[in-house]
């Protein structure tokens, strides 16, 4: 079909403009060079569904990497994200997807993630939790600039960062550390919901 | 590639352990490394060119900015052309971690882990003084060998060349070392910026040569490229 259309355009050159427009629409679905969705990585969500990282494209995302058996800072990261969810919700910005990606490929399978989500009372209509193999975890951490190391005991030492990613997959803000101060991050997040992505 | 037998070495990064009084102490502990294969030397431009011909998405005019910074393959004339044929046998530099990893994966290999690379350098303690001396000499004149060809330095006891004196190298887990910004703050802030106080690594400042390497690694981000940073590949032994 498309080939016939192409030939028709070459021969008649009349519908060139609308063809270009269609072509542009198709190209808009491709992530830009600055988008983290350039990564071809796949994960499993808490329901065990295979999900590509790229499938997060299309809405702004608030993302962090953590793991379920983390005793130290991860609970704070999750709480910070829930506070953001509540603050942004109050300001009418409720199109965000909240994503938690586990470092722990070995122990944090979908069932573990599901039960963690339930025990933390995460609203799964907004939240999604990802399990990835070591390569997927490594690539995502690399593209985000997160440092991490698996210890001999199977724990993870890691940076504490929450990311604000726009609907095209470009990182727009970072919240580093555990402080509850989030004014600038929230302002940038709200500004994102007001800008239409191309 | 060279087959490297399994063994142990003492890494530069100290480990936090509880001593008999239940107090946290930073100690040096040996690490086991399994047998593996390692490229005898750095990947050359000649080899990287073959990869670029097969994988257009890694050419400098096409690469996604998220995978390589604007200086990627800076000193190449164009996508598939070097400035001089004499460059072909020099190690490929101005490559990001993503590009280096993609090259190794293209050949069914991987980047060596930091442990594998450091274990190869440690060479089971052979020629310790010479190695230390060579490293410090190189660091004091870092661009002295910028034009070196691959395979220009003698092989160590394992048969590996060019670990010193030619280029810095990417490792698979270069982002495992939590030094730098995260370590600068006092202990309470440390916990805040960075999770995992129980086994937090620390660096031993008395080993200057190793300190330089680890510091360099912690300064990197995966998309960075520099004039003196190249790589080689490794493979698990089956």
């Amino acid at each position: 079909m498309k080939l016939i259309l192409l030939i028709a355009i070459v021969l008649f050159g009349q519908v060139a403009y609308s063809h270009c427009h269609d072509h542009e629409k198709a190209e808009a679905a491709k992530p830009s060079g600055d988008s983290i969705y350039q990564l071809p990585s796949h994960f499993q969500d808490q329901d065990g569904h295979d999900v590509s990282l790229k499938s997060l494209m299309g809405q702004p995302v608030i993302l962090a990497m953590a793991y379920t058996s983390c005793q130290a800072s991860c609970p704070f990261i999750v709480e910070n994200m829930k506070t953001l969810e509540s603050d942004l919700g109050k300001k009418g910005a409720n199109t965000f997807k909240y994503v938690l990606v586990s470092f722990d490929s070995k122990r944090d399978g979908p069932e573990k993630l599901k039960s963690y989500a339930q025990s933390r009372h995460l609203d799964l209509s907004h939240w999604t939790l990802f399990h990835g193999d070591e390569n997927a975890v490594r690539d995502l951490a690399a593209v985000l600039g997160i440092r991490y190391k698996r210890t001999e005991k199977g724990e993870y030492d890691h940076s504490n960062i929450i990311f604000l990613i726009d609907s095209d997959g470009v990182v727009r803000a970072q919240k580093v550390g555990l402080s509850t101060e989030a004014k600038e991050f929230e302002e940038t997040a709200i500004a994102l919901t007001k800008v239409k992505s191309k | 590639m060279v087959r490297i037998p399994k063994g142990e070495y003492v890494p530069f990064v100290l480990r936090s352990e509880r001593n008999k009084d239940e107090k946290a102490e930073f100690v040096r502990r040996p690490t086991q490394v399994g047998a593996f294969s390692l490229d005898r030397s750095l990947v050359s431009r000649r080899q990287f060119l073959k990869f670029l011909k097969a994988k257009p998405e890694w050419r400098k005019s096409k690469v996604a900015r998220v995978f390589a910074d604007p200086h990627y393959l800076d000193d190449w004339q164009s996508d598939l052309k070097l400035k001089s044929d004499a460059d072909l046998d020099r190690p490929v530099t101005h490559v990001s971690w993503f590009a280096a990893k993609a090259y190794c994966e293209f050949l069914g290999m991987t980047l060596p882990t930091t442990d594998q690379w450091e274990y190869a350098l440690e060479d089971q303690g052979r020629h310790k003084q010479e190695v230390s001396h060579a490293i410090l000499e190189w660091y004091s004149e870092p661009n002295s060998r910028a034009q070196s060809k691959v395979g220009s330095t003698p092989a160590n006891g394992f048969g590996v060349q060019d670990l010193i004196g030619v280029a810095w190298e990417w490792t698979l887990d270069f982002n495992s070392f939590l030094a730098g910004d995260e370590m600068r703050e006092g202990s309470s802030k440390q916990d805040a910026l960075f999770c995992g106080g129980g086994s937090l690594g620390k660096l031993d400042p008395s080993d200057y040569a190793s300190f330089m390497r680890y510091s360099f690694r912690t300064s990197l981000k995966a998309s960075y490229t520099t004039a003196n940073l190249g790589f080689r590949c490794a493979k698990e032994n089956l």
Side-chain angles (χ1 to χ4, degrees):
Chain A
M1 256 309 249
K2 225 179 173 177
L3 183 61
I4 294 165
L5 180 65
L6 210 63
I7 293 166
I9 290 155
V10 166
L11 290 176
F12 301 114
Q14 283 179 18
V15 291
Y17 177 73
S18 56
H19 174 71
C20 281
H21 190 61
D22 288 345
H23 188 62
E24 244 174 69
K25 270 194 191 157
E27 285 299 282
K30 272 185 169 184
S32 74
D34 291 312
S35 168
I36 67 167
Y37 302 139
Q38 285 279 347
L39 279 176
S41 310
H42 279 246
F43 294 89
Q44 287 175 298
D45 68 13
Q46 69 279 356
D47 293 317
H49 298 136
D50 178 87
V51 181
S52 68
L53 183 68
K54 192 180 162 186
S55 69
L56 291 174
M57 230 173 126
Q59 78 252 291
V61 165
I62 288 176
L63 182 150
M65 293 186 78
Y67 64 110
T68 65
S69 42
C70 170
Q71 301 298 321
S73 64
C74 307
F76 288 102
I77 294 178
V78 176
E79 286 309 307
N80 274 3
M81 286 170 76
K82 286 172 81 180
T83 302
L84 286 168
E85 186 187 10
S86 156
D87 287 353
L88 292 173
K90 285 184 192 137
K91 295 177 178 155
N94 37 24
T95 52
F96 287 88
K97 193 129 201 177
Y98 295 83
V99 181
L100 214 55
V101 183
S102 176
F103 290 109
D104 201 346
S105 302
K106 268 203 169 87
R107 298 182 299 184
D108 281 351
E111 273 174 38
K112 197 78 184 282
L113 293 176
K114 188 84 180 259
S115 94
Y116 183 79
Q118 284 160 351
S119 70
R120 299 279 153 186
H121 309 292
L122 304 180
D123 176 358
L124 291 172
S125 65
H126 294 159
W127 287 75
T128 184
L129 285 72
F130 281 178
H131 163 263
D133 67 16
E134 283 176 19
N135 293 323
V137 169
R138 186 181 298 122
D139 283 350
L140 183 64
V143 89
L144 293 172
I146 290 178
R147 290 201 242 263
Y148 74 103
K149 186 178 175 69
R150 186 173 182 273
T151 70
E152 297 224 314
K153 293 183 183 142
E155 299 294 308
Y156 288 85
D157 293 345
H158 61 92
S159 324
N160 292 324
I161 311 180
I162 298 174
F163 295 87
L164 176 67
I165 299 165
D166 72 19
S167 49
D168 295 323
V170 180
V171 175
R172 296 302 203 94
Q174 296 184 27
K175 190 174 164 310
V176 179
L178 301 177
S179 105
T180 48
E181 160 52 48
K183 191 157 171 273
E184 225 179 287
F185 189 93
E186 285 185 16
E187 279 170 9
T188 312
I190 289 164
L192 278 188
T193 60
K194 302 209 163 100
V195 177
K196 258 199 151 181
S197 65
K198 49 177 161 74
Chain B
M1 295 192 103
V2 174
R3 289 181 85 94
I4 312 247
K6 73 173 184 190
E8 71 175 33
Y9 85 110
V10 180
F12 174 67
V13 180
L14 304 176
R15 280 220 284 270
S16 168
E17 285 185 2
R18 302 250 162 229
N19 64 14
K20 54 178 160 48
D21 301 319
E22 284 301 302
K23 277 192 125 172
E25 285 191 318
F26 288 101
V27 293
R28 303 200 74 165
R29 283 277 175 263
T31 286
Q32 301 301 316
V33 179
F36 69 107
S37 295
L38 187 65
D39 272 347
R40 191 176 294 277
S41 184
L42 296 149
V43 172
S44 69
R45 285 148 200 252
R46 187 190 297 275
Q47 290 170 308
F48 203 73
L49 179 57
K50 284 193 201 148
F51 164 70
L52 293 175
K53 285 182 174 160
K55 293 287 203 170
E57 67 268 34
W58 288 103
R59 296 177 196 171
K60 71 172 173 176
S61 68
K62 295 197 154 75
V63 77
R65 189 51 70 232
V66 78
F67 291 148
D69 73 19
H71 294 289
Y72 177 60
L73 300 179
D74 227 8
D75 57 351
W76 289 50
Q77 184 151 311
S78 62
D79 276 358
L80 299 174
K81 208 157 183 275
L82 289 160
K83 285 182 179 156
S84 146
D85 279 351
D87 285 348
L88 281 167
D89 293 313
R90 289 172 53 212
V92 68
T93 56
H94 283 294
V95 283
S96 65
W97 178 81
F98 287 111
K101 195 162 74 77
Y103 172 92
C104 293
E105 285 171 0
F106 176 66
L107 296 177
M109 301 195 281
T110 171
L111 283 172
T113 61
T114 304
D115 274 337
Q116 285 173 332
W117 195 94
E118 291 280 327
Y119 170 64
L121 178 73
E122 200 262 354
D123 199 21
Q124 295 188 323
R126 288 175 280 230
H127 313 123
K128 227 177 162 148
Q129 300 287 23
E130 291 100 313
V131 167
S132 215
H133 183 76
I135 293 174
L136 291 172
E137 200 180 56
W138 177 40
Y139 292 176
S140 67
E141 271 184 82
N143 294 317
S144 58
R145 309 261 207 142
Q147 301 302 313
S148 295
K149 293 193 178 201
V150 153
S152 57
T153 63
N156 69 6
F158 281 138
V160 184
Q161 294 175 283
D162 302 337
L163 290 168
I164 309 162
V166 185
W168 300 90
E169 297 184 38
W170 281 112
T171 54
L172 188 65
D173 58 344
F174 76 95
N175 61 350
S176 287
F177 303 99
L178 303 135
D181 294 353
E182 288 133 341
M183 304 281 285
R184 230 186 276 134
E185 307 290 307
S187 60
S188 59
K189 273 282 187 75
Q190 237 176 11
D191 292 345
L193 290 176
F194 166 72
C195 173
S199 58
L200 192 62
K202 208 181 174 191
L203 306 181
D204 172 6
S206 67
D207 180 353
Y208 180 70
S210 297
F211 176 76
M212 287 287 289
R213 275 197 311 284
Y214 279 80
S215 292
F216 179 65
R217 288 184 192 117
T218 65
S219 75
L220 298 169
K221 293 256 187 244
S223 64
Y224 283 9
T225 71
T226 86
N228 50 11
L229 174 61
F231 70 102
R232 71 183 72 208
C233 302
K235 197 171 180 158
E236 296 299 323
N237 282 349
L238 293 164

